[in-house]
Amino acid sequence: MDLTLTIMGTASAMPISDRYPSAQMLSAGGRLFLIDCGEGCQQQMRRAHLSFVKIEAIFISHIHGDHVFGLFGLLNSMAMYGRTGQLHIYGPQPLGNIIQFFRNYFKDDSGLELVYHPLNMKEPEIVHRSKDLTVSAFPLQHKLPCYGFRFDEVVSEKHLFYNPSYKGKSYAYCSDTKPFKELPSWVAGVDTLYHEATYMNGMEDKALQYFHSTTAQAALCAKEAGAGRLIVGHYSSRIRDYEAYLHECAEIFPNTVAANDLDVFKI
């Protein structure tokens, strides 16, 4: 199965003139899965030539604005573009109030049915299945309920017939979080790991204060998880030397990429 990741936003909470807030799109054989939906997400989708009507599910890590403020505009545009049927939305329980507000005040008669799935788990659980992909959610440690997501290809008998050692492609998304001991095991062995790296080395106290991670902490998670590749983002608006993020991570985990908006990665 072809897995392609498009990074639509790499900034954190404060605006940056040349970067958008958190949003990513994972394409699985042409089906689209949106991960977070920061402000301007739909404009980035247009620039990346991503379809508004092929999104199968939306996964929201938490309800800080830089991860969710683009949701209303995107849902409205999806309806205007003729997206019908069920749209599954996964997120922490408080997101339900936001979805209900949209239903009450902006819902039209387009035929778009929003199916909200509240997340409330203590360890990884599969929350979404299709014939060739499973999506697991797991709790992160942030200032409010926050979840990461892991996407795993379903390995079929056909795969194993041609390659008995085939393990399937995998991607994990770790949004805003401070480090904690269970996380590397929850994303163990993924082909590509996205991990926020808001702060540079030497800023551990500030990272801890705001429940975020440093470059070294993100790289150490990837190393302990045995990930194939690390992508970092969610850059602080105070730091504009993005190559420094890459260099600090690569000292611990060499196969690191410091993401830019609209980067595309094959998983």
Side-chain angles (χ1 to χ4, degrees):
M1 179 178 61
D2 176 60
L3 276 184
T4 303
L5 178 71
T6 302
I7 308 290
M8 291 181 290
T10 56
S12 55
M14 296 300 290
I16 300 177
S17 60
D18 56 350
R19 291 180 184 265
Y20 282 74
S22 294
Q24 300 184 2
M25 190 75 78
L26 186 69
S27 173
R31 292 176 295 111
L32 300 181
F33 299 87
L34 177 64
I35 313 167
D36 276 340
C37 191
E39 187 176 358
C41 175
Q42 60 177 331
Q43 286 91 339
Q44 292 292 78
M45 285 183 62
R46 292 295 299 270
R47 294 184 179 100
H49 306 289
L50 294 168
S51 171
F52 285 76
V53 299
K54 292 183 179 180
I55 297 177
E56 179 174 313
I58 297 174
F59 301 88
I60 301 296
S61 62
H62 63 296
I63 58 170
H64 277 160
D66 54 321
H67 296 258
V68 76
F69 278 167
L71 187 58
F72 282 7
L74 176 62
L75 293 176
N76 186 69
S77 294
M78 289 175 69
M80 293 177 65
Y81 271 95
R83 170 66 158 85
T84 59
Q86 293 186 340
L87 173 65
H88 295 272
I89 303 177
Y90 298 83
Q93 288 184 329
L95 181 65
N97 295 329
I98 297 174
I99 300 299
Q100 191 58 49
F101 177 84
F102 180 84
R103 287 192 182 114
N104 290 342
Y105 291 96
F106 299 102
K107 184 70 169 66
D108 58 21
D109 297 322
S110 65
L112 177 62
E113 179 185 354
L114 305 180
V115 182
Y116 169 59
H117 303 267
L119 303 177
N120 184 24
M121 64 275 296
K122 302 296 184 183
E123 57 186 20
E125 292 182 13
I126 293 176
V127 296
H128 188 86
R129 297 176 185 267
S130 63
K131 66 177 183 179
D132 50 12
L133 193 73
T134 64
V135 187
S136 302
F138 49 88
L140 298 173
Q141 293 194 11
H142 197 39
K143 279 194 167 185
L144 74 178
C146 185
Y147 295 89
F149 302 101
R150 175 170 177 156
F151 300 77
D152 287 284
E153 180 183 7
V154 174
V155 178
S156 67
E157 292 183 2
K158 181 178 180 181
H159 286 127
L160 297 176
F161 177 81
Y162 289 104
N163 182 359
S165 63
Y166 186 71
K167 68 179 184 65
K169 299 174 182 177
S170 54
Y171 172 65
Y173 175 84
C174 294
S175 176
D176 303 18
T177 186
K178 70 177 184 179
F180 59 100
K181 64 179 182 179
E182 294 87 359
L183 185 55
S185 66
W186 291 350
V187 297
V190 293
D191 295 313
T192 299
L193 169 67
Y194 170 85
H195 196 298
E196 65 109 326
T198 308
Y199 294 104
M200 309 292 292
N201 293 338
M203 304 178 73
E204 289 81 7
D205 289 347
K206 187 171 287 292
L208 181 61
Q209 177 185 357
Y210 293 105
F211 288 73
H212 280 290
S213 296
T214 66
T215 50
Q217 290 165 343
L220 186 59
C221 180
K223 182 178 180 180
E224 292 179 352
R229 171 175 54 186
L230 171 65
I231 301 173
V232 294
H234 202 265
Y235 306 122
S236 170
S237 61
R238 300 179 181 90
I239 303 167
R240 305 307 293 271
D241 181 6
Y242 303 112
E243 286 296 312
Y245 285 93
L246 174 61
H247 294 153
E248 290 192 354
C249 289
E251 289 180 356
I252 297 172
F253 191 83
N255 194 16
T256 297
V257 178
N260 294 303
D261 287 15
L262 300 181
D263 278 352
V264 177
F265 300 95
K266 293 287 186 180
I267 308 279

